[in-house]
Amino acid sequence: SQELEQSPQSLIVQEGKNLTINCTSSKTLYGLYWYKQKYGEGLIFLMMLQKGGEEKSHEKITAKLDEKKQQSSLHITASQPSHAGIYLCGADRRGDTGRRALTFGSGTRLQVQP
Amino acid sequence: DGGITQSPKYLFRKEGQNVTLSCEQNLNHDAMYWYRQDPGQGLRLIYYSQIVNDFQKGDIAEGYSVSREKKESFPLTVTSAQKNPTAFYLCASSTADTQYFGPGTRLTVL
C-alpha cells in the first residue's frame, strides 16, 4: 500500500513568517489532498491536486504537486494565528485495488506565535 | 445546510461492551468511509461503502462492523473484539473528486 511521509512533524513560527510543509509518496499520486484539522475536530478540505506540476492557491495557502507526482508542498504566506492546527496530506488510493479511500500522512502540527 | 453529522461527540464505554457510532450525510453522496485517528498519527481506514447495501473492509476492520441500509447513513459498531478502541473516529463521504469529513466522535474505553 502507499505510504505518505510528512515533514516536518511540528513547526513553530512567528506570526507573519512564511512556512512550507512537505508530503512525499513512495508511489505515483493519483490525487493529493490537503486538509487542516483543529484538535479534536474533523478535517477541513483545503485543496486537491491531480496533475503533475499543478499549483492551487486559496487565500494565503498555496499547494503544489511536482511533475513526477510523488511530492507535494503546502506553503503559507504571512502566517496568522488562525493558520494554527494540524495539516494532513492524503493520497487517493484509486490505483490501489480500485477503491476511493485515502491514505494519510501522520500530519504536521503548526503553531503560530503572535 | 448540507453536511455530515456524527453523534455523539464524546462516548464512554466499559470494557466488553459494544457501542455504535452514528454518521449521517445529506450531501447525496454514494460513497462513505470510516477512519480512526490515534494521537500523533494520521487516519487509518476501517470500512468503506461505495453504494447502499455494499461495504468493504479497510486496513483495520478487525473488531468493527458496519451497515449501509440507507444512502444517508453509515453507522459503525465497535465490538468487544476490538482490543484498543480508544481513539477519535471520523466519518467521511465523497464526490468523484473530494472527500468531506464529519466532526468526529471521541471514544474512550474505561
Side-chain angles (χ1 to χ4, degrees):
Chain A
S1 63
Q2 189 162 37
E3 289 190 359
L4 293 177
E5 295 281 338
Q6 275 188 250
S7 63
Q9 288 186 329
S10 64
L11 194 53
I12 303 174
V13 300
Q14 281 199 313
E15 184 175 357
K17 296 294 185 182
N18 301 339
L19 64 105
T20 299
I21 298 168
N22 293 303
C23 178
T24 302
S25 170
S26 57
K27 298 182 180 180
T28 299
L29 296 162
Y30 287 90
L32 191 286
Y33 296 74
W34 283 101
Y35 290 89
K36 179 185 175 183
Q37 184 182 30
K38 293 282 191 181
Y39 179 76
E41 298 181 10
L43 276 63
I44 299 169
F45 172 74
L46 296 175
M47 277 170 276
M48 190 272 277
L49 305 164
Q50 277 188 309
K51 300 176 183 176
E54 188 174 10
E55 179 175 322
K56 289 186 178 178
S57 294
H58 178 67
E59 297 180 343
K60 294 185 178 181
I61 300 176
T62 300
K64 301 178 184 179
L65 182 62
D66 75 342
E67 290 288 346
K68 293 184 178 179
K69 295 173 64 177
Q70 286 191 281
Q71 185 168 24
S72 178
S73 61
L74 185 82
H75 184 77
I76 299 177
T77 304
S79 58
Q80 300 169 351
S82 61
H83 288 127
I86 301 169
Y87 289 82
L88 292 149
C89 65
D92 191 332
R93 300 172 68 162
R94 194 176 315 174
D96 183 11
T97 75
R99 57 187 183 182
R100 302 282 316 283
L102 300 181
T103 296
F104 284 89
S106 57
T108 295
R109 185 178 295 272
L110 172 63
Q111 293 177 258
V112 180
Q113 294 181 333
Chain B
D1 280 339
I4 303 171
T5 57
Q6 291 187 243
S7 61
K9 188 172 177 63
Y10 299 97
L11 190 56
F12 298 90
R13 188 194 93 176
K14 292 183 179 179
E15 282 192 25
Q17 287 181 337
N18 293 354
V19 64
T20 297
L21 283 59
S22 169
C23 176
E24 303 279 332
Q25 55 100 358
N26 61 4
L27 300 168
N28 201 33
H29 291 167
D30 286 316
M32 297 187 73
Y33 312 83
W34 274 105
Y35 294 89
R36 168 183 171 141
Q37 186 179 32
D38 293 284
Q41 297 186 31
L43 282 65
R44 291 182 290 167
L45 182 66
I46 304 173
Y47 267 97
Y48 65 103
S49 169
Q50 293 183 329
I51 199 167
V52 173
N53 292 322
D54 183 61
F55 49 83
Q56 306 294 329
K57 291 182 179 180
D59 301 317
I60 55 166
E62 185 175 352
Y64 300 97
S65 66
V66 293
S67 62
R68 187 83 187 278
E69 297 176 0
K70 298 188 298 182
K71 189 175 186 177
E72 306 78 30
S73 179
F74 190 40
L76 174 74
T77 297
V78 184
T79 75
S80 57
Q82 169 51 232
K83 299 304 179 187
N84 186 21
T86 294
F88 189 51
Y89 290 87
L90 287 155
C91 176
S93 67
S94 70
T95 63
D97 297 327
T98 305
Q99 199 159 123
Y100 299 94
F101 285 81
T105 292
R106 184 166 299 280
L107 172 64
T108 303
V109 174
L110 303 173

